């Protein structure tokens, strides 16, 4: 069945992130001067006092912690059949935070303590797009 | 010679202010029509007409769309449009513009057909924007699913409870009971809030603002002219503004509204005031946790003390720090960019025109509103002395 939810459309500076996911690799950028990782992709280090353009893509662990979330009890369009679903912010072990959905876990507050360990699940939603979802770490 | 913002405090005043004749469900009026209606009423409140206006600021439509509709060609325009707090920013910008001689009579307008959607363009980010790439694919569907995301972290770090946030809705409803224009006036309890249907846990329906139609407008002039109007001036004493991000996942600290810290400090510095000088507050309440974050960031309580503070009743009728006295976005009205109504209630209170909900002996009021979802903020300090 065709996937009808919103899909990301890559831009030049984000292309490697989405290409990496398609290969089942989580790729984010790291500043080669201050050594910090960052997200979302852009061609310069966003950290205050650095702002270097000497940045490189790296494949990271795909492990992180549940930073915060909501359990959505409303869903529009194709999301309606998914409610309740978890919209979460994961803090990667490398530092940056990103939005995701939690999968393979009950959408109940008791099952979702902040800081619980998570790992990435590569969700191949179409032939072209893979979304980074997360589940409780095994 | 270097200048500082204090030189601009108490230099410009609000001399005209009005909301649309009614607020709530207005399917007979288009979005831009609501701007014009509020503009004309605010100008009439000041004894002026559209032909006296030489500066305009608005958000939603562009200033050009507004000037086209009003058929005017001003000398100064401001189209800062960053969400609900835009109008607070316009007031701050108008102070500088009037002091610089760019304009003499500045009109700031808001109008939104948030409920009825009459004359409104499309919504939603393109798939190639940052939001389209990094948030939309995960099923976010608007402010209740995004503005709410930091709450769990605040609960985790500070022990903030759903009951405490419910108390904010209860206190605000008590004010709405005193406002005959408010959409929701029936008393509610903490249990009512917690038993209302889940929207995006931890948000229940009664933790969320209304969705309405309506508008409001302000007229600002210089100190030299301010005494010549029918109503006493409401002075702009302090202002601050900032914007930091748009993606909620990129909020710097999920437990602290860092932009509000900055805009509060700037507003206090300009007004040469501290929290102790503020007698009344309009802290934008799109959701119950939003004024809680503001209260902490602006320094009225320590981080993490916001929830207990509201639960103790300080902000409710009879409390020592009256807040959101029109009934707020939660119970009065919320068109989408509610900041104009927050300013309007401060003006109404400072003019002594608030009727049954009037705060006695009021001299100062703070208005605070977000630019987007915790993205940035604007703060105003207004006074009537």
């Amino acid at each position: 069945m065709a996937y009808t939810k919103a899909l990301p459309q890559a831009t030049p500076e984000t292309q490697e992130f989405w290409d990496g996911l398609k290969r089942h690799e989580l790729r984010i950028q790291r500043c080669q001067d201050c050594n910090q990782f960052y997200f979302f992709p852009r061609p310069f280090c966003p950290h205050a006092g650095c702002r270097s353009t000497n940045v490189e893509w790296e494949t990271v662990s795909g492990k992180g912690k549940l930073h915060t979330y909501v359990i959505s009890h409303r869903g529009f369009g194709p999301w309606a059949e998914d409610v309740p679903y978890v919209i979460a912010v994961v803090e990667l072990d490398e530092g940056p935070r990103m939005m995701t959905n939690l999968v393979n876990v009950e959408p109940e507050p008791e099952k979702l303590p902040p800081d619980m360990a998570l790992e990435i699940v590569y969700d191949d939603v179409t032939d072209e797009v893979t979304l980074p979802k997360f589940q409780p770490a095994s | 010679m270097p200048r500082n913002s204090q030189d601009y405090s108490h230099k410009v005043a609000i001399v005209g202010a009005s909301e649309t004749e009614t607020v709530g469900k207005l399917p007979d009026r288009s979005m831009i029509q609501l701007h014009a209606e509020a503009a004309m009423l605010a100008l009439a409140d000041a004894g002026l007409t559209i032909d006296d206006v030489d500066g305009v600021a608005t958000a939603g439509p562009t200033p050009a769309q507004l000037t086209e509709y009003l058929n005017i060609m001003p000398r100064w325009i401001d189209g800062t449009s960053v969400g609900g707090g835009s109008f607070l920013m316009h007031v701050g910008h108008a102070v500088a513009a009037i002091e610089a001689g760019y304009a003499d009579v500045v009109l700031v307008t808001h109008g939104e057909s948030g409920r009825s959607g009459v004359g409104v363009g499309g919504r939603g980010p393109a798939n190639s924007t940052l939001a389209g790439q990094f948030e939309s694919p995960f099923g976010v569907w608007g402010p209740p699913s995004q503005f709410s995301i930091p709450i769990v972290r605040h609960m985790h770090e500070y022990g903030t409870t759903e009951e405490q946030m419910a108390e904010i809705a209860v206190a605000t409803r008590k004010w709405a009971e005193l406002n005959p224009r408010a959409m929701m006036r029936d008393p509610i309890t903490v249990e009512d809030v917690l038993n209302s249907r889940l929207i995006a846990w931890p948000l229940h329906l009664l933790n969320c603002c209304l969705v309405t139609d309506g508008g409001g407008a302000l007229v600002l002039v210089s100190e030299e002219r301010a005494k010549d109007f029918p109503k006493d001036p409401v002075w702009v004493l302090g202002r601050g503004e900032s914007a930091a991000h748009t993606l909620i996942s990129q909020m710097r600290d999920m437990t602290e509204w860092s932009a509000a810290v900055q805009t509060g400090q700037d507003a206090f510095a300009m007004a040469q005031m501290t929290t102790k000088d503020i007698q009344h507050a309009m802290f934008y309440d799109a959701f119950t946790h939003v004024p809680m974050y503001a209260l902490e960031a602006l320094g009225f309580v320590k981080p993490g003390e916001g929830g207990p503070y509201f639960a103790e009743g300080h902000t409710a009728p009879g409390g020592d720090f009256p807040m959101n006295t029109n009934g707020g976005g939660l119970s009065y009205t919320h068109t989408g960019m509610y900041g104009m109504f927050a300013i309007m209630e401060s003006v109404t209170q400072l003019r002594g025109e608030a009727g049954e909900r009037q705060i006695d002996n009021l001299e100062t009021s703070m208005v605070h509103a977000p630019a987007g979802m915790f993205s940035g903020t604007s703060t105003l300090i207004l006074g009537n002395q």
Side-chain angles (χ1 to χ4, degrees):
Chain A
M1 203 173 82
Y3 186 82
T4 56
K5 293 169 177 164
L7 288 168
Q9 183 182 329
T11 46
E13 77 274 42
T14 68
Q15 189 71 51
E16 177 62 17
F17 175 77
W18 295 110
D19 287 351
L21 287 169
K22 201 174 159 186
R23 301 190 303 267
H24 290 196
E25 295 173 12
L26 181 60
R27 302 271 287 164
I28 63 174
Q29 287 159 302
R30 185 178 201 170
C31 176
Q32 302 302 297
D33 287 333
C34 76
N35 287 321
Q36 297 183 83
F37 288 93
Y38 63 91
F39 183 84
F40 50 91
R42 71 206 98 162
F44 57 90
C45 172
H47 290 107
C50 180
R51 317 287 182 178
S52 169
T53 55
N54 184 17
V55 301
E56 298 287 347
W57 289 92
E58 292 190 19
T59 301
V60 294
S61 66
K63 300 196 181 304
K65 291 189 296 187
L66 175 59
H67 192 63
T68 190
Y69 64 96
V70 295
I71 304 169
S72 185
H73 288 257
R74 295 188 72 185
F76 289 82
W79 288 94
E81 63 196 47
D82 291 359
V83 297
Y85 60 94
V86 182
I87 306 169
V89 174
V90 58
E91 183 171 287
L92 301 175
D93 284 355
E94 293 81 9
R97 295 181 195 142
M98 57 190 290
M99 187 174 279
T100 188
N101 296 126
L102 297 190
V103 295
N104 303 323
V105 61
E106 289 296 308
E108 295 289 340
E110 308 79 64
K111 301 287 175 60
L112 301 169
D115 294 334
M116 75 183 287
L118 299 175
E119 63 187 17
I120 197 167
V121 175
Y122 296 98
D123 188 357
D124 300 317
V125 297
T126 71
D127 289 344
E128 297 301 318
V129 174
T130 299
L131 295 177
K133 307 286 181 73
F134 281 79
Q135 65 182 8
S138 52
Chain B
M1 189 177 75
R3 295 201 190 178
N4 65 52
S5 63
Q6 293 163 10
D7 298 339
Y8 292 79
S9 182
H10 206 288
K11 292 292 189 189
V12 166
I14 297 166
V15 296
S18 181
E19 298 180 0
T20 45
E21 186 179 6
T22 55
V23 295
K25 298 177 193 173
L26 303 170
D28 59 333
R29 292 164 168 87
S30 74
M31 175 274 288
I32 192 80
Q33 186 182 355
L34 292 164
H35 281 255
E37 177 185 328
M40 289 183 206
L41 290 170
L43 287 160
D45 184 57
L48 300 173
T49 75
I50 289 176
D51 294 316
D52 296 306
V53 173
D54 65 353
V56 298
T58 195
T62 67
Q65 288 172 308
L66 180 67
T67 55
E68 176 181 55
Y69 199 79
L70 298 176
N71 191 29
I72 59 175
M73 191 168 67
R75 296 190 296 135
W76 175 83
I77 59 171
D78 177 14
T80 303
S81 187
V82 290
S86 301
F87 315 99
L88 286 70
M89 297 182 185
H90 297 157
V91 168
H93 302 172
V95 169
I98 290 169
E99 283 300 285
Y102 293 171
D104 292 324
V105 177
V106 168
L107 173 69
V108 182
T109 70
H110 164 68
E112 215 163 351
S113 186
R115 188 180 186 98
S116 302
V118 182
V120 181
R123 283 165 181 261
N127 295 17
S128 60
T129 61
L130 291 174
Q133 292 188 63
F134 302 115
E135 297 208 335
S136 300
F138 304 105
V140 298
W141 48 269
S145 70
Q146 290 159 285
F147 217 151
S148 49
I149 280 181
I151 302 173
V152 163
R153 199 70 207 175
H154 200 282
M155 294 168 74
H156 177 70
E157 298 279 346
Y158 295 121
T160 303
T161 66
E162 290 180 73
E163 287 76 11
Q164 289 165 352
M165 289 183 281
E167 294 275 13
I168 299 169
V170 172
T172 310
R173 180 62 61 89
K174 287 177 181 168
W175 285 114
E177 291 171 39
L178 303 176
N179 183 357
R181 283 167 64 88
M183 179 175 265
M184 296 293 180
R185 302 187 66 199
D186 294 334
I188 55 170
T189 64
V190 167
E191 290 69 35
D192 290 335
V193 179
L194 298 179
N195 291 331
S196 63
R197 68 185 166 87
L198 277 167
I199 302 296
W201 185 87
L203 289 184
H204 298 254
L205 181 66
L206 293 179
N207 294 111
C208 302
C209 67
L210 306 168
V211 181
T212 65
D213 307 321
L218 302 167
V219 181
L220 295 105
V221 302
S222 69
E223 186 177 22
E224 291 71 35
R225 297 191 57 178
K227 306 282 170 27
D228 303 335
F229 291 88
K231 296 189 175 165
D232 290 338
V234 171
W235 299 102
V236 183
L237 303 179
R239 55 61 73 194
E241 70 183 31
S242 189
H245 58 85
T246 62
L247 305 178
I248 194 69
S249 57
Q250 301 307 308
M251 183 171 174
R252 285 163 167 70
D253 178 343
M254 293 282 176
T255 68
E256 181 190 82
W257 199 346
S258 42
V261 174
Q262 176 181 314
T263 69
Q265 287 170 350
D266 283 350
F268 281 125
M270 176 168 165
Q272 297 182 269
M273 287 183 172
T274 70
T275 54
K276 293 183 177 59
D277 298 306
I278 305 300
Q279 300 170 310
H280 170 256
M282 293 301 298
F283 290 173
Y284 194 118
D285 54 343
F287 303 96
T288 47
H289 65 291
V290 178
M292 180 182 78
Y293 272 74
L295 189 80
E296 295 178 3
L298 294 166
F300 289 90
V301 298
K302 292 191 177 71
E305 293 181 355
Y309 185 89
F310 280 99
E312 287 162 8
H314 295 279
T315 65
D320 58 356
F321 191 55
M323 183 188 296
N324 297 345
T325 51
N326 58 354
L330 293 169
S331 291
Y332 170 53
T333 206
H334 189 289
T335 51
M337 293 191 285
Y338 162 84
M340 175 60 80
F341 297 96
I343 302 171
M344 205 64 65
E345 175 67 2
S346 287
V347 171
T348 300
Q349 288 283 353
L350 287 165
R351 286 173 161 186
E353 295 177 341
E356 201 183 342
R357 65 184 192 278
Q358 179 64 46
I359 310 303
D360 293 333
N361 305 315
L362 189 66
E363 295 184 359
T364 58
S365 177
M366 175 174 276
V367 194
H368 179 267
M373 293 175 277
F374 284 127
S375 309
T377 77
S378 187
T379 302
L380 291 177
I381 299 173
L382 303 176
N384 58 13
Q385 295 300 300

